[in-house]
Amino acid sequence: KPKKYIIPTLSIPERAYIAGIIDGEGTVTMTKVYPVVSISNTSTILIDWLNTHVGGGLGIIESSESERWKTCYHINWTCGTAIQLLQQVYDFLTIKKPQATLLIEIWEDTKKATKDAGINRFNGISKPPLWLMEKRQLTKTKLTSLNKRGNSL
């Protein structure tokens, strides 16, 4: 069984800085099942700093639309690592705080449901209860609305 990745404990300035990056350059959302936090930027310096201090999955988006566009780099966290990161930066979030709240709540509900079912996680054999599937869908709908371009406080 692979070892779970634990986000290192961040200093207060690191938490505030990362929260600002998430508010300005990040996406806080979920797939059909699990939470995702991602940051995209054209600066390798920023993405490398995040990878060094927090870890995460790295990627490159090559732009072929226009030769004037720069290559975009991204880093993301999913499942428990996304929640760990959000919990550490939560007090410093402004714009993405509602999304973070929704993800943390659905993650806690999922943990409770798996514990109640006596299993480690839901998979193809063990299905989540109907109430959790409905709450996930509602959460995803709310996140989609909150993440629309032009949406403001």
Side-chain angles (χ1 to χ4, degrees):
K1 183 176 176 178
K3 239 181 168 179
K4 284 186 179 180
Y5 179 74
I6 306 291
I7 297 230
T9 302
L10 302 166
S11 69
I12 299 298
E14 288 170 332
R15 291 175 190 201
Y17 180 60
I18 293 167
I21 296 167
I22 292 171
D23 271 342
E25 303 288 334
T27 301
V28 177
T29 192
M30 70 182 288
T31 66
K32 188 175 181 183
V33 177
Y34 59 86
V36 178
V37 175
S38 64
I39 296 169
S40 298
N41 198 278
T42 58
S43 169
T44 57
I45 295 168
L46 174 63
I47 300 301
D48 289 343
W49 185 91
L50 288 165
N51 189 44
T52 299
H53 288 80
V54 186
L58 299 173
I60 299 173
I61 302 168
E62 295 287 342
S63 176
S64 59
E65 295 285 324
S66 169
E67 54 192 53
R68 295 185 310 178
W69 289 3
K70 294 181 181 179
T71 299
C72 188
Y73 305 91
H74 64 257
I75 185 166
N76 65 62
W77 301 269
T78 60
C79 301
T81 54
I83 299 302
Q84 291 173 45
L85 179 60
L86 290 174
Q87 288 170 330
Q88 287 201 51
V89 303
Y90 186 83
D91 290 339
F92 299 99
L93 289 170
T94 302
I95 298 166
K96 303 287 173 48
K97 190 172 262 188
Q99 292 93 319
T101 301
L102 288 169
L103 284 185
I104 292 167
E105 285 175 2
I106 196 69
W107 187 256
E108 291 302 319
D109 287 342
T110 301
K111 281 177 35 181
K112 181 186 180 322
T114 55
K115 184 178 178 185
D116 290 349
I119 57 176
N120 290 331
R121 67 185 176 98
F122 296 112
N123 52 35
I125 298 164
S126 305
K127 300 278 186 205
L130 182 59
W131 69 265
L132 181 59
M133 291 174 25
E134 289 172 348
K135 187 162 184 185
R136 282 179 178 168
Q137 184 57 48
L138 180 61
T139 298
K140 185 150 177 53
T141 300
K142 288 178 180 177
L143 287 166
T144 299
S145 176
L146 286 167
N147 288 332
K148 280 189 177 170
R149 288 185 184 261
N151 192 12
S152 63
L153 297 173

